[in-house]
Structures are given as structure tokens and as C-alpha cells.
Amino acid sequence: MRTVVWLVLLFTVAVVAALALGQNDGLASFYWNGWRLDVSLNLFLLALVGTCFALVTAIQTIGALTSLPRRAHEWRLAQRERGAQLALRDALAEFFGARYGRAQKAAQRALSIHAQTPELQQDEGFLALGHLLSASSAHRLQDKRRRDEQLQLALDAAKRSPQGRAQEEGARLLAAEWALDDRDAPRALSLLAELSPGVARRTQALRLKLQASRLAKQPLEALRTARLLAKHQGFSKVAAQGLLRSLAFEALDAARDADQLRSVWQQLDSADRRDVFVAARAAQRAGALGVPDDGRGWLRPFWDDVAELGADERATLAEALVLVLPGLGPEWLQRLETAVQRFPRDRAFSYTLGHALAERQLWGKARLILEQVADESSLGTAARRRSWLVLAHLAEQDGDLDRRARCHEAAATLV
């Protein structure tokens, strides 16, 4: 196609030249010291064009000859830069291929070529990437000394580069990840704290902070970080719910006294406090720490809306209330009886009501209900054993030693 275009242009020029010059009878006269030279105007124009072409060609030839050393230097510089880039690419390929020793050697070769070329030393971004890749390879090889040296060189190069902010952020994130691999949670948290607010909110930074907080036994901080990750869709909905719940459990289990437990409960997010399983775990800890009133207070909102709960949630709620029964008020009996009437097939509510009646010393009603639920296979082993033990205590109150012995035997045989 290009040839056809050139032919068309050539024919066009020929036609225009024939029309313009074919009937041109003009002369060009030149005078010099009494001499006159007359030539046709066509010849003069052709000579002028040819002379201009020759001058341009001569100038370009002289320029090419004089610039030959400079172009040779540029060619050698381009070759060295290409060699450095190829070495860095080889290092990346070897690193992703899990050949970390070769990757480190290739990265060092790229850095050596770069250092031996003064014109390339201003490219601090290349230096930062090369040192960072060498540090990553050293970390995989468990060479911590070389890793830290190369990391510091990468950070220094990134700080000197006007566009080195991305390399510096990447180096700090990698350093935090390496600290986690070394099980050094304080160093990981320190490195993450040095990040700018925008970088610290990135998904990878939040994931690292979550791991570091859990490793440092800071469940509340881990819970806040996990909630941010869930908000940024760092987990699936189901995984996020399970993780948040387990972190809330860890925070509650870490409480060593009642005041600390209350503080942890207040620091939990409102969404966590509305979770039946989290509230049940908090109530269990309250019962273990001797503050059952607090536990019942945390469970009461769920009992007021018990009809909206699922079967697993109702069972967990019932079991949690049994653990905080000491000091139970009479208003709870009406609440429990209403729940039993609403869910007559839910043996967990009957189990809770029986223990509540025993706590209120209504032993006759308590024994009738507990005898029914003690043999209920749908209840857990711990709940049935607890029911048999309460029945044994009631038998002791009645002075029936034989029935007490049978109740203890039934509790002991449960596995």
C-alpha cells in the first residue's frame, strides 16, 4: 500500500512538473565583471534543488561523523542499562521460581552493573527495587543479617528518590511481614505504626496489623482491625463473622477480674454486644469471676426478644443463663415460663427454668422439670450432668440418700 501511495505521488509530481516547466521559456541571467551568463529557468531551478540537496547531505554527513563518539557512548550506556534490567528481570523470575540463591545473585549482578555506570546511579528507584529483591531472597534463605542490610539500603535509596514513596511503603510492609515470620510482634507493630494513615488503611497493612495484634496478645486491637478489614471486604461475610466472634471471645477470656471484664465489654463494638454468642461468653466469664448480676444484665435484652433468635442461639442463651443464676430475681421466673410456653419443644428452656426454680428454692417444681430434662438426649452432656447434680442436691435436701446416690451415679456415667 505504501508503494502505491509513493507511485501516485511520483506521478502527481511528474504531471505538475510537466505542466509548470514544459512551457517555461524564462531565462536566468548572471552578471560578473562584465560577463553575463544566461541559462534557462528550468535548469536553474533543477540546479538549485540539487545544490540544496547536496548541502543538506553534506551537513548531515559531517554531523554524523562528529557525533559518532557521543552515539557510541550512548549505545554502550544503553547496553549496560539493558544488561541491568535483564539481570533484575532474571532475579524476579528466579525469586518467583523459589530459587532464592540464584535470585540473590542476579539482583546483586544488576546492582553491580548499576553501580559501575555513573550515568545510571541517579536512578534511585532501580536501586531500591534491586536491594528490596535481594532482601526478600535473603529472608527466604534465613539470612537475617544480609536481609536487614539490604532492607536499610532499599529504604535509603527510596528516600533519595523523588518518586520513591511507593518503594518505601512496600519496603516497610515487607519488613513488617518478615517480623511476623520471625514472631516479633512488637517490631511488626512498630513498622506498621510508621506508615502514613493512607497506607495503614490498605488491606494488606490491616491484615498484617491483625496478625501482629493477635501475636502480641492484644485481642481488642485485633478486633478493631478485623472490623476494619470486614468493612473493606477483606473477608467473606461468614469468615468475618466467625473471626470477629472468636476475637471477642479472646478479649473476654483475657479478663482476669470483674472490673477488667466490664471494661472489655464496654470497649466491644455495639455489633459485638448484640451477638448472642458473644454476650453468652461474657456472661460465662461473669459467672466465673463472681459477678452473675452483670452477666444476667448482658443477657436480658436477648431474653426480651427471644422469639427472634434461632435454635442454636436459644440453646446458647439458655446455657449461659444457667451459669449466672446465683442471686436470680423473681422477675426472671415469669420470663422463663413465657419462653417455655412459646417454645414447648425446646428442652434448653425447660432446662434453664428447672435450674432457676432450684435457685429460687422452689424444689418441688424444679425436681419435676429437671427429671424430665436429665434424660433428654438432645441436651449436651454437661447440661445433663449439671441437672443430675442439682437433683442429687435436692434429694439431699429431702433426706433421700438412695435417690441422691442414684443421681450421682447417673451423672458419673454420662460421657
Side-chain angles (χ1 to χ4, degrees):
M1 187 64 186
R2 184 179 298 177
T3 304
V4 174
V5 172
W6 278 108
L7 286 175
V8 171
L9 291 175
L10 181 61
F11 290 151
T12 302
V13 171
V15 171
V16 172
L19 293 176
L21 303 178
Q23 310 240 344
N24 190 358
D25 296 333
L27 294 175
S29 299
F30 300 92
Y31 296 90
W32 181 260
N33 290 334
W35 294 88
R36 187 181 76 177
L37 177 63
D38 294 328
V39 296
S40 67
L41 184 59
N42 293 345
L43 178 61
F44 170 72
L45 292 175
L46 292 175
L48 180 63
V49 172
T51 302
C52 293
F53 179 77
L55 285 174
V56 171
T57 303
I59 292 172
Q60 290 180 346
T61 302
I62 294 172
L65 290 174
T66 55
S67 64
L68 188 61
R70 176 180 58 80
R71 290 189 291 116
H73 176 71
E74 291 177 351
W75 180 85
R76 288 193 298 269
L77 181 61
Q79 288 297 107
R80 296 188 68 83
E81 184 177 8
R82 184 171 179 269
Q85 296 288 347
L86 286 175
L88 189 63
R89 288 167 56 186
D90 289 342
L92 282 171
E94 299 291 356
F95 181 81
F96 291 135
R99 293 187 287 269
Y100 303 116
R102 296 182 183 181
Q104 193 174 41
K105 291 179 181 178
Q108 291 298 326
R109 186 167 66 252
L111 292 172
S112 176
I113 296 173
H114 196 274
Q116 294 172 6
T117 309
E119 293 82 358
L120 299 179
Q121 292 181 4
Q122 297 180 355
D123 189 0
E124 301 291 348
F126 182 91
L127 281 176
L129 290 176
H131 287 303
L132 200 56
L133 185 56
S134 180
S136 299
S137 302
H139 173 72
R140 299 294 185 179
L141 296 172
Q142 295 297 311
D143 189 350
K144 297 181 181 180
R145 182 187 61 80
R146 181 182 291 273
R147 178 197 69 187
D148 295 338
E149 290 176 355
Q150 293 297 317
L151 176 63
Q152 188 59 47
L153 290 173
L155 288 172
D156 294 340
K159 291 177 181 178
R160 292 193 300 267
S161 176
Q163 295 84 24
R165 183 176 178 181
Q167 288 94 336
E168 184 179 359
E169 293 169 356
R172 294 192 185 281
L173 287 173
L174 277 176
E177 185 176 349
W178 298 338
L180 288 175
D181 291 341
D182 296 339
R183 312 296 292 177
D184 189 352
R187 174 170 169 75
L189 290 172
S190 175
L191 288 167
L192 292 171
E194 296 174 0
L195 296 174
S196 62
V199 181
R201 287 193 297 269
R202 294 176 185 171
T203 301
Q204 177 62 11
L206 291 174
R207 289 182 186 275
L208 294 175
K209 187 176 181 180
L210 173 61
Q211 296 177 30
S213 299
R214 298 191 74 176
L215 184 61
K217 305 299 183 182
Q218 300 177 1
L220 283 176
E221 184 63 30
L223 183 59
R224 285 190 284 268
T225 305
R227 190 163 294 282
L228 282 176
L229 267 173
K231 192 176 296 184
H232 292 155
Q233 298 182 349
F235 307 108
S236 66
K237 187 175 180 179
V238 176
Q241 184 181 20
L243 177 62
L244 292 172
R245 187 174 291 161
S246 65
L247 290 173
F249 288 173
E250 290 180 13
L252 293 168
D253 293 342
R256 292 294 176 261
D257 54 47
D259 291 336
Q260 190 175 4
L261 179 62
R262 295 188 188 103
S263 176
V264 171
W265 176 258
Q266 291 301 323
Q267 292 182 63
L268 292 178
D269 192 82
S270 59
D272 296 322
R273 293 198 294 268
R274 291 194 301 268
D275 189 332
V276 176
F277 297 97
V278 174
R281 191 61 163 259
Q284 292 175 16
R285 290 296 299 158
L289 295 174
V291 283
D293 291 341
D294 291 346
R296 289 195 300 273
W298 298 334
L299 294 177
R300 180 172 178 176
F302 301 100
W303 281 99
D304 293 338
D305 300 324
V306 70
E308 300 177 3
L309 303 179
D312 292 341
E313 293 175 326
R314 292 197 301 269
T316 302
L317 187 64
E319 179 66 25
L321 184 59
V322 171
L323 299 177
V324 290
L325 286 179
L328 184 76
E331 71 279 0
W332 277 94
L333 295 181
Q334 180 63 36
R335 191 176 291 118
L336 291 172
E337 289 173 353
T338 302
V340 171
Q341 292 173 4
R342 183 172 295 181
F343 299 95
R345 296 184 179 180
D346 198 331
R347 307 308 295 173
F349 285 162
S350 299
Y351 156 75
T352 306
L353 177 60
H355 282 270
L357 291 170
E359 174 64 26
R360 295 294 302 171
Q361 297 184 0
L362 300 174
W363 295 325
K365 293 182 179 180
R367 185 163 61 86
L368 290 175
I369 296 176
L370 291 178
E371 286 177 348
Q372 295 176 3
V373 300
D375 291 327
E376 183 63 45
S377 59
S378 61
L379 290 177
T381 302
R384 294 171 62 193
R385 182 180 293 113
R386 188 178 294 112
S387 298
W388 281 117
L389 292 176
V390 172
L391 287 172
H393 177 70
L394 295 180
E396 185 178 0
Q397 293 290 333
D398 294 338
D400 191 343
L401 299 182
D402 292 337
R403 181 157 54 88
R404 187 192 68 169
R406 289 194 301 272
C407 291
H408 278 299
E409 182 181 358
T413 57
L414 288 175
V415 292

